[in-house]
Amino acid sequence: MSLYALSVLMAVIWAVVSGGFSLHNLLFGFVLSLLTLSILRSQFEGAGRPGRTRRILSLILLFLVELAKSAWKVALLVLRPNLEIKPGIFAYPLQVKTDFEIALLANLITLTPGTLSVDVSEDRSTLYVHGIDCGDVEGARRDIAEGFEKKIMEAFAR
């Protein structure tokens, strides 16, 4: 999809989200999306490669599934009569390397109920994550590695 076609689509989405379909608002959404896409364009080099769109959609689908599962788990945790949780912060060793990939992973983790990205180490090799229940830290690390991080590396591989 061309930059302009995607900008038009994003301008319409902007109008829907902001609730105003005035010409001013549509133009603002179009210009804003053009600027954003031109800044992010380097992250999507090779976007025409076969399967790239499918892999990005797969990442989005994984996020939606994890969002639903995590929301359900957190709801069950807080509705228990005995709140037996072990909150804590654990270090997650990063395999993703670029700033974009690290930021995307950190945001996906933060948007998932029960987890929060706290910090990234100076050398960008470790992400610190707060979990509402850190009873199984290795399981949480494995879930991140085999889930979000794997899909990010597949979708944005150079």
Side-chain angles (χ1 to χ4, degrees):
M1 185 179 286
S2 77
L3 181 68
Y4 295 108
L6 190 55
S7 292
V8 168
L9 176 64
M10 289 177 69
V12 171
I13 292 170
W14 169 261
V16 169
V17 170
S18 66
F21 281 92
S22 67
L23 182 60
H24 249 140
N25 199 31
L26 282 169
L27 285 174
F28 177 73
F30 181 74
V31 170
L32 184 65
S33 65
L34 269 178
L35 289 171
T36 304
L37 289 172
S38 62
I39 291 170
L40 294 176
R41 185 171 227 173
S42 65
Q43 300 301 325
F44 295 101
E45 288 175 359
R49 292 189 312 214
R52 179 84 178 249
T53 302
R54 182 179 40 80
R55 290 189 299 269
I56 291 172
L57 289 175
S58 176
L59 173 63
I60 293 168
L61 180 63
L62 173 70
F63 171 69
L64 294 174
V65 168
E66 288 298 321
L67 180 67
K69 285 178 14 183
S70 295
W72 180 254
K73 287 178 187 176
V74 170
L76 290 178
L77 274 175
V78 299
L79 291 175
R80 286 186 188 156
N82 300 336
L83 194 60
E84 297 177 16
I85 59 172
K86 297 176 184 170
I89 296 176
F90 62 92
Y92 177 76
L94 291 169
Q95 294 177 13
V96 293
K97 298 299 177 203
T98 68
D99 288 341
F100 173 77
E101 293 169 339
I102 293 170
L104 180 58
L105 178 62
N107 282 309
L108 290 175
I109 289 171
T110 296
L111 289 171
T112 306
T115 55
L116 175 70
S117 300
V118 179
D119 198 8
V120 178
S121 64
E122 289 278 332
D123 62 358
R124 297 175 19 204
S125 65
T126 305
L127 178 66
Y128 296 97
V129 178
H130 179 275
I132 193 169
D133 190 7
C134 290
D136 182 17
V137 173
E138 286 306 315
R141 286 185 185 125
R142 187 174 49 254
D143 288 346
I144 293 170
E146 294 172 0
F148 290 144
E149 191 170 42
K150 178 181 175 187
K151 291 290 186 180
I152 288 170
M153 289 188 309
E154 288 173 2
F156 300 103
R158 301 259 174 218

